[in-house]
Amino acid sequence: MGGMTSDSETTPEMPDWERRFRAPRVGLPDWAEDAPDRSLFVSNATGTYELYAWDRTTGAQRQATDRPNGTTDGTLSPDGEWIWWFSDTDGDEFGTWVRQPFAGGADEPATPGLKPSYPAGLAIGRDGTAVVGRSTDEEGSTVHVVPADGSAPTVIYRHPESAGVGDLSRDGTLVAIEHTEHGDAMHSAVRVLTLDGTIVAELDDSKGGTEELGLEVLGFAPVTGDTRLLVGHQRRGRWEPMVWDVAAGTQEGLAIDLPGDVSAEWYPDGSALLIAHSFEARSELWRYDLAARDLVRVDTPPGTVSGATARPDGTVEFLWSSAAEPSAVRSTAGGIVLEAPGFRPPGSVPVEDVWVEGPGGRIHALAQRPAGRGDGPFPTIFEIHGGPTWHDSDAFAATPAAWLDHGFAVVRVNYRGSTGYGREWTDALKHRVGLIELEDIAAVREWAVSSGLADPARLVLSGGSWGGYLTLLGLGTQPGAWAVGLAAVPVADYVTAYHDEMEALKSLDRTLFGGTPEEVPDRFEASSPLTYVDAVKAPVHIAAGVNDPRCPIRQIENYVDRLAARGAVHEVYRYDAGHGSLVVEERIKQVRMELEFALKHLPPRMPA
């Protein structure tokens, strides 16, 4: 693959689990709207995830970024002349936008006059004007127009609550933003402005924060002068799209009666929508003709489509995988669109769907059994997803596969708070944060033991981010249930985490808890792992990024100090990055440490 080389050497002795991490892979290529043969994609070909430019006319590919801790946040200008990427410091998510010529050259500031911030959306106009969303603890959310001529940026929006740039109209006259001025960070409203800040239209399904209904900007129609905006809404209890003409004031619902969540993006000529449908941990694609109101399935294999885009010629490119088969960028025209250099990662085992009755309704979980290890019961790891507004799916993942290779069963739970099962399921965790999710995990744990899958004495609770938080909270509130805990970049001391985290997450926490730690101290105390740290019995391994703005290091140290004070069995690994790592060897190192920790501390299997 021209322009891309792999520094990751493999040997026959290398175990499959390491090969899965080291195997070069690519993300779905993004393409320039007015120069569709110019693309940008993410790859780990050098061992670190970076951005690559791809000229489809010549086939040439070029690594565009090269930083010790990697780069994944980037986009192309509409004319394809510039690569914009977000430059932070070692994963702290605080920085500025820079740009470089598509063909190569020096990076330069893309938004002169704007100080470093957390990013909150970006839209680039055809004349080079940029609309930049920013967030800082001091200023809250701001939206700036950065003129192409280098003159000073102007502020067109400012508010203490979280907000961000959604999209810019094709002709560059209208900008759509998502905001939470009503104080509910889980349910955004949409506002459309001109570039001088004049309000053109408003849409707020939350009715000032009195109803738990959110909106999301999916994109303006890709036609000059067209004022139609594609908007995601929750009016029927799930995410689905509608077309809002912001000039005419009309809203057109779409006849898409598919179960589960539905999202969409425009086909390049504006005549149809590419529908992404997610249901029960799997996803598929459809084409919706706006004139005929006709829904036709786009052929994709069973599994998960984690990204898709409609090309100008009408074909669809999509990133697909399943739990058993590694990801690939495919096209409806047939074949693989883009392949990384080097070897393909080994496959893994398929998932089994599990439905368990829980206190809040039926819980969907995904289970995997280690191949060639008999019928069980197995040592079992509960891999808890982050978010919490996310869900585990039938998609390829190297970490669960590593545990399967070591003889573990893997169970993943789409607890209340997860997406993909309707708005009520996602919104259910308010005010009893963490505790509700753990009720669902406990119900699935009971199934795993009673079904004969899991050895009750050899259960591992594990997760990263929100999953790490639930791990520490679960070890303290369910101390007899788990033999080992593995928590990566967790919330450990919720009060300190609130005060140290980025402002946008403070807004989310106020929504989840119904106030600040000072306003609702009992709720924060009930939901903080630190409250239960002295009850933890299981050995616990904690990994923490020292530059993490989401789960800051100080609150983790507070928790670790309490473990150490009573001599609890624990290990802590601190690494120089933010909320996770984009360096392949660092990821392998952390998984190896967790495997070794679990195997060291799990009791041996009792003879039958």
Side-chain angles (χ1 to χ4, degrees), residues 34 57 104 118 217 232 357 520 535:
D34 297 337
T57 58
Y118 297 112
V217 174
E357 289 299 327
V520 287

Side-chain angles (χ1 to χ4, degrees), residues 109-194:
T111 55
L114 293 185
K115 296 179 180 179
S117 69
Y118 297 112
L122 169 71
I124 306 170
R126 279 162 175 74
D127 65 352
T129 300
V131 183
V132 182
R134 300 170 66 253
S135 171
T136 67
D137 295 345
E138 298 76 26
E139 296 179 90
S141 301
T142 55
V143 175
H144 304 253
V145 174
V146 182
D149 61 10
S151 55
T154 58
V155 180
I156 62 169
Y157 179 85
R158 184 187 302 274
H159 199 275
E161 297 291 348
S162 57
V165 174
D167 196 23
L168 187 64
S169 62
R170 173 100 179 180
D171 59 13
T173 62
L174 301 174
V175 60
I177 65 169
E178 297 176 7
H179 72 83
T180 59
E181 293 175 5
H182 48 274
D184 181 350
M186 293 179 70
H187 302 97
S188 294
V190 174
R191 180 173 298 159
V192 178
L193 310 168
T194 59

Side-chain angles (χ1 to χ4, degrees), residues 202-569:
E202 303 249 20
L203 202 57
D204 180 11
D205 280 8
S206 80
K207 298 180 181 178
T210 60
E211 294 192 21
E212 294 184 334
L213 292 173
L215 299 168
E216 61 177 343
V217 174
L218 300 177
F220 277 104
V223 179
T224 299
D226 195 328
T227 56
R228 292 177 299 166
L229 180 65
L230 195 60
V231 175
H233 68 91
Q234 299 178 299
R235 294 170 183 175
R236 297 198 299 173
R238 63 195 179 104
W239 281 110
E240 55 187 325
M242 69 173 179
V243 177
W244 177 33
D245 190 323
V246 300
T250 58
Q251 299 174 30
E252 179 188 355
L254 306 178
I256 301 175
D257 289 319
L258 299 170
D261 285 338
V262 177
S263 187
E265 68 172 51
W266 297 93
Y267 271 76
D269 64 0
S271 68
L273 302 176
L274 178 61
I275 302 296
H277 172 227
S278 174
F279 182 57
E280 295 183 351
R282 288 161 186 89
S283 53
E284 59 183 4
L285 300 175
W286 300 75
R287 185 184 189 275
Y288 182 82
D289 187 294
L290 287 163
R293 301 179 71 84
D294 186 33
L295 190 65
V296 177
R297 193 176 186 279
V298 176
D299 188 33
T300 60
T304 294
V305 176
S306 53
T309 181
R311 295 279 293 166
D313 63 1
T315 62
V316 175
E317 295 177 355
F318 57 96
L319 184 64
W320 174 91
S321 73
S322 71
E325 189 172 342
S327 63
V329 180
R330 302 187 178 198
S331 171
T332 54
I336 304 296
V337 174
L338 180 66
E339 229 169 352
F343 62 95
R344 287 275 288 167
S348 189
V349 301
V351 295
E352 304 169 26
D353 292 282
V354 176
W355 292 93
V356 176
E357 289 299 327
R362 280 208 319 163
I363 307 158
H364 189 198
L366 301 174
Q368 291 168 282
R369 301 169 185 266
R373 303 287 183 129
D375 297 327
F378 305 103
T380 299
I381 182 167
F382 276 63
E383 273 280 351
I384 309 303
H385 73 72
T389 49
W390 189 250
H391 66 270
D392 280 311
S393 59
D394 182 7
F396 193 76
T399 298
W403 290 96
L404 289 161
D405 286 0
H406 284 79
F408 285 75
V410 177
V411 177
R412 290 175 285 173
V413 181
N414 285 332
Y415 51 75
R416 277 172 288 172
S418 302
T419 53
Y421 302 88
R423 182 185 61 81
E424 289 186 5
W425 191 261
T426 302
D427 290 351
L429 52 77
K430 282 186 176 181
H431 301 172
R432 293 186 60 244
V433 179
L435 304 172
I436 283 175
E437 300 96 293
L438 286 168
E439 289 176 355
D440 292 350
I441 292 166
V444 177
R445 176 195 177 277
E446 183 176 336
W447 163 84
V449 171
S450 63
S451 70
L453 174 71
D455 182 340
R458 307 177 78 204
L459 293 177
V460 179
L461 186 59
S462 175
S465 190
W466 197 266
Y469 158 62
L470 294 177
T471 294
L472 295 184
L473 190 63
L475 295 178
T477 60
Q478 304 168 356
W482 309 103
V484 170
L486 308 169
V489 291
V491 176
D493 166 5
Y494 221 130
V495 174
T496 301
Y498 175 87
H499 290 299
D500 287 1
E501 69 194 5
M502 60 172 69
E503 183 58 41
L505 291 181
K506 287 188 173 73
S507 297
L508 176 60
D509 283 340
R510 290 193 294 271
T511 298
L512 287 172
F513 285 92
T516 67
E518 291 71 33
E519 293 166 339
V520 287
D522 292 349
R523 289 177 182 172
F524 274 84
E525 182 180 11
S527 294
S528 179
L530 188 67
T531 302
Y532 312 98
V533 63
D534 291 337
V536 172
K537 297 178 181 178
V540 56
H541 181 279
I542 298 173
V546 297
N547 306 314
D548 191 344
R550 297 174 180 269
C551 298
I553 191 70
R554 184 169 72 108
Q555 52 94 25
I556 294 174
E557 301 291 9
N558 291 347
Y559 185 92
V560 171
D561 288 347
R562 287 278 295 274
L563 287 175
R566 65 182 181 88
V569 178

Side-chain angles (χ1 to χ4, degrees), residues 15 17-18 22 585 587-597:
W17 77 266
E18 290 189 33
R22 290 198 174 94
E585 290 302 325
R587 290 184 174 186
I588 291 172
K589 179 180 180 180
Q590 292 184 31
V591 172
R592 182 183 292 114
M593 292 172 72
E594 291 181 341
L595 284 163
E596 290 175 351
F597 186 87

